[in-house]
Amino acid sequence: MSLLVDIEKKLGSFTLQARFETQEGITGLLGASGCGKSMTLRCVAGIERPDKGRIVLDGNVLFDSRQDCRQKIDLPPKKRQVGYLFQNYALFPNMTVRQNILTGLFHEKDRQKKEAEAVKIINLLGLNGLESHRPAQLSGGQAQRVALARILVSHPKLLLLDEPFSALDSFLRDQLQLDMMELLRQLGTPALLVTHNRDEAYHMCPHLMLMEKGAVIRFDETKKVFANPGSRYAAQLTGCKNIVSAQKKDDFTIWVPEWGIHLHSSEPVGDTLCGVGIRAHYFNPKSRYNRFPVIFQHQVEEPFEWILQFRFAAQAENTPPVWWRIPKDKKPKEFPEELGIAPENILLLYS
């Protein structure tokens, strides 16, 4: 399965310019609120119409506005073979679980086939015993599974998941993420997952798109995106706490004026370098590389980690402290006089 999206849509002063091509598995869309993630899904689903462009799902053209086409194509949502899981699940409140699921089989006229498909999906998603319940009687996890069952019963070629876990408490969210991953693995159904949670994107999505102001700024394997975000915005999205302006000194050396230090990188430094990022977990008192005197500032206790903030000895005044995150069982009795960073853990930022 492949999805090709190359579209543009203007909404007032905002312009969505989404260009990407996905393959199998779950592809994440990560970005700040208002960057165009959900609008991209709505255009793929046919809920919104792009101003121009092309959308092709598994060789089937869903939308094409090109002037050289003999006939412009804009398939209605019901003909796109796409399932859209809304953030609030959008269940019909006056219908039972069984009735909600059957609405996903609007195209099937044979009553026996409809009932058989409904029973099959109810068993698959563990909804047995809830068939006569109405949405108000369901837990958050049960409501999500009913909404998913209503989509899957029609055997879509693609699932569009629009922040499906955002309204759930953390314990239920973690469990349902695992359940969703296993279900999609069993079914082999590819999906686009919109999220603003980097942890969710990391463990659910083999591939990841980063979006900023309506455009896809980075698209690669998720682990590669985290390992090399490439820009300040991408570094922030992927959770980097220490981002600072920097200059190229030579092919493997970087000058960081605010911190008053030179850093050595394992990767060649490009001429357009404008900053570096260091993730808070990457500092190491035992590292022999990029080792500098540090001065403790203060600490913040979290359930399973400490945030230890410090300044480099040569750091400029009125600049923010540097973050070091460390597991509780690894916290030193005394704050180290020096900390180091492995050259491969220096994130080079070019915009």
Side-chain angles (χ1 to χ4, degrees):
M1 194 292 301
S2 66
L3 172 68
L4 171 66
V5 175
D6 185 357
I7 56 174
E8 183 174 315
K9 182 175 179 64
K10 291 185 179 293
L11 294 165
S13 60
F14 176 81
T15 300
L16 174 68
Q17 293 179 308
R19 297 182 178 89
F20 59 89
E21 184 172 3
T22 70
Q23 300 296 326
E24 300 293 336
I26 306 175
T27 299
L29 280 75
L30 178 65
S33 297
C35 71
K37 305 184 302 294
S38 293
M39 180 57 65
T40 299
L41 260 60
R42 293 171 70 86
C43 287
V44 173
I47 300 170
E48 297 281 351
R49 187 181 188 278
D51 297 328
K52 61 181 180 179
R54 198 163 185 256
I55 303 172
V56 183
L57 175 62
D58 207 17
N60 183 32
V61 179
L62 308 184
F63 176 81
D64 198 334
S65 67
R66 294 179 302 176
Q67 295 296 326
D68 58 349
C69 284
R70 294 182 180 179
Q71 184 177 359
K72 293 183 180 180
I73 299 171
D74 185 14
L75 295 185
K78 291 182 178 180
K79 292 187 177 182
R80 294 196 175 201
Q81 294 183 284
V82 168
Y84 197 118
L85 184 61
F86 292 90
Q87 189 172 353
N88 62 359
Y89 310 141
L91 295 175
F92 297 107
N94 296 323
M95 290 186 180
T96 65
V97 165
R98 175 181 163 278
Q99 290 169 335
N100 263 285
I101 292 172
L102 286 173
T103 62
L105 289 166
F106 60 88
H107 61 283
E108 179 59 66
K109 304 304 178 185
D110 188 310
R111 185 177 181 82
Q112 288 187 334
K113 288 184 179 180
K114 290 177 71 169
E115 291 292 344
E117 287 290 340
V119 169
K120 182 178 177 181
I121 202 70
I122 284 170
N123 290 333
L124 178 66
L125 293 183
L127 296 169
N128 311 77
L130 300 175
E131 294 91 337
S132 298
H133 285 53
R134 299 188 186 277
Q137 298 173 289
L138 302 175
S139 68
Q142 290 169 340
Q144 186 191 77
R145 279 185 284 148
V146 173
L148 193 58
R150 183 176 61 185
I151 293 169
L152 293 175
V153 77
S154 63
H155 303 290
K157 288 186 176 181
L158 174 70
L159 278 179
L160 304 177
L161 310 174
D162 195 353
E163 298 197 53
F165 309 104
S166 62
L168 305 174
D169 65 73
S170 59
F171 176 81
L172 182 59
R173 180 172 62 244
D174 292 345
Q175 183 57 52
L176 289 183
Q177 286 172 1
L178 295 174
D179 292 345
M180 179 80 77
M181 291 168 64
E182 177 59 21
L183 176 64
L184 295 183
R185 187 192 66 79
Q186 292 178 12
L187 296 174
T189 307
L192 286 182
L193 170 67
V194 162
T195 181
H196 61 267
N197 185 309
R198 64 177 181 274
D199 295 334
E200 183 175 295
Y202 190 88
H203 67 245
M204 287 195 70
C205 307
H207 291 84
L208 184 63
M209 275 182 278
L210 302 183
M211 294 192 69
E212 180 183 18
K213 297 178 181 178
V216 177
I217 62 168
R218 188 87 161 80
F219 184 21
D220 207 331
E221 294 176 20
T222 300
K223 290 185 178 180
K224 290 182 179 179
V225 172
F226 274 75
N228 182 24
S231 70
R232 286 173 176 262
Y233 179 77
Q236 290 171 352
L237 280 182
T238 57
C240 185
K241 294 298 184 184
N242 303 304
I243 300 173
V244 64
S245 297
Q247 304 162 10
K248 176 180 177 177
K249 188 71 174 179
D250 60 39
D251 287 347
F252 292 92
T253 308
I254 303 149
W255 167 239
V256 185
E258 286 185 24
W259 293 348
I261 61 175
H262 285 92
L263 293 171
H264 297 280
S265 168
S266 62
E267 296 291 325
V269 181
D271 292 337
T272 59
L273 180 85
C274 66
V276 294
I278 301 176
R279 299 197 184 278
H281 292 94
Y282 285 175
F283 292 101
N284 188 341
K286 296 181 180 180
S287 176
R288 295 180 296 134
Y289 304 99
N290 294 315
R291 190 176 181 86
F292 306 99
V294 293
I295 303 167
F296 174 76
Q297 293 288 286
H298 58 270
Q299 61 188 23
V300 178
E301 185 177 9
E302 294 188 326
F304 308 107
E305 291 184 317
W306 283 97
I307 299 173
L308 305 177
Q309 294 190 323
F310 66 89
R311 302 177 70 82
F312 290 104
Q315 187 168 337
E317 294 183 8
N318 302 320
T319 58
V322 184
W323 285 44
W324 178 25
R325 279 188 184 271
I326 189 168
K328 283 194 169 179
D329 62 344
K330 301 294 184 182
K331 184 185 178 187
K333 292 182 179 180
E334 295 184 1
F335 196 82
E337 295 182 358
E338 294 183 340
L339 285 173
I341 314 104
E344 61 269 22
N345 289 334
I346 306 297
L347 305 180
L348 306 179
L349 308 177
Y350 293 95
S351 62

